Amino acid sequence: MNYSPPDQQTLEGVLDTVKFDKDGLIAAIAQSAEAPHEILMLAWMNREALAETLATGRVCYFSRSRNALWRKGESSGQTQQLVSARIDCDRDAVLVLVQQKGVACHTGRRSCFYHEVTPEGLRDTTAPEISAEALYGKSH
Amino acid sequence: MNYSPPDQQTLEGVLDTVKFDKDGLIAAIAQSAEAPHEILMLAWMNREALAETLATGRVCYFSRSRNALWRKGESSGQTQQLVSARIDCDRDAVLVLVQQKGVACHTGRRSCFYHEVTPEGLRDTTAPEISAEALYGKSH
């Protein structure tokens, strides 16, 4: 269950095979290591975020809204520790198996995928486990 | 384990809440219903593909390379039957739980996510279960 990073040279070789899109991004899926049936979230990584994730074992995304690296949990404390990382066949997506501290979703839910399509429309499958205030402080 | 589609009006209401990107797409993650720890693939849907998927229960993507609807399995026979669909918190990604017939990956592997990052670089975690010839015919 422990991730072992490649050395810098090997890591650069891996990164060179990844096909980042025209905005320099790939899609990144986070899956729970403790409960692997649980898909926690989908976010984005640029080369720098993927490099940091694979070098440190702490998951780092790229925030498209902030246009900056997004070290998961740096404001909320809800970090993701990498267990394994897999690139897909056409090398434009990455699946990270992670140990999620607390919840992945900014709404306080464990997973971001909670709007289920039902015959009656969208239905929330889960309730928040923690408030936004507890996650981000009163100023949020 | 059976998906029940909403009626047309309810479906349009659901689709209206989805935030397609500047290219009209959302990311779509396919997860195996039989083996939910298995993430099969990541692809893309436009509004039409998502509408067809949710109306018919047969998963349909949008192929960015062919710029056309991609009814999963229409040439390979490796169809995906929808079990459930969940939209994420910011409504720009969808997670589909599917019954995968055969394999999801065009390489003949069950899952597209098979290039694992190891200290020695990328390592294939799985071998193809079926040949491209068997999947797509000799002309492929």
Side-chain angles (χ1 to χ4, degrees), chain A residues 50-72:
Chain A
L50 181 57
E52 181 169 315
T53 299
L54 296 177
T56 66
R58 284 274 294 266
V59 178
C60 175
Y61 299 104
F62 182 80
S63 167
R64 295 179 303 172
S65 57
R66 289 190 291 113
N67 201 38
L69 289 183
W70 166 25
R71 294 182 177 91
K72 179 69 180 162

Side-chain angles (χ1 to χ4, degrees), chain A residues 1-6 11 45 49-60 72 79-85 96-100, chain B residues 117:
Chain A
M1 285 283 279
N2 278 322
Y3 170 74
S4 300
L11 178 56
M45 291 186 186
L50 181 57
E52 181 169 315
T53 299
L54 296 177
T56 66
R58 284 274 294 266
V59 178
C60 175
K72 179 69 180 162
T79 54
Q80 293 179 338
Q81 186 70 37
L82 187 61
V83 173
S84 78
V96 289
L97 191 70
V98 302
Q99 291 179 315
Q100 172 69 55
Chain B
V117 180

Side-chain angles (χ1 to χ4, degrees), chain A residues 22-42:
Chain A
K22 61 186 187 296
D23 298 318
L25 302 174
I26 58 168
I29 305 163
Q31 177 178 22
S32 165
E34 299 88 352
H37 63 281
E38 207 174 37
I39 307 307
L40 298 168
M41 58 186 285
L42 181 138

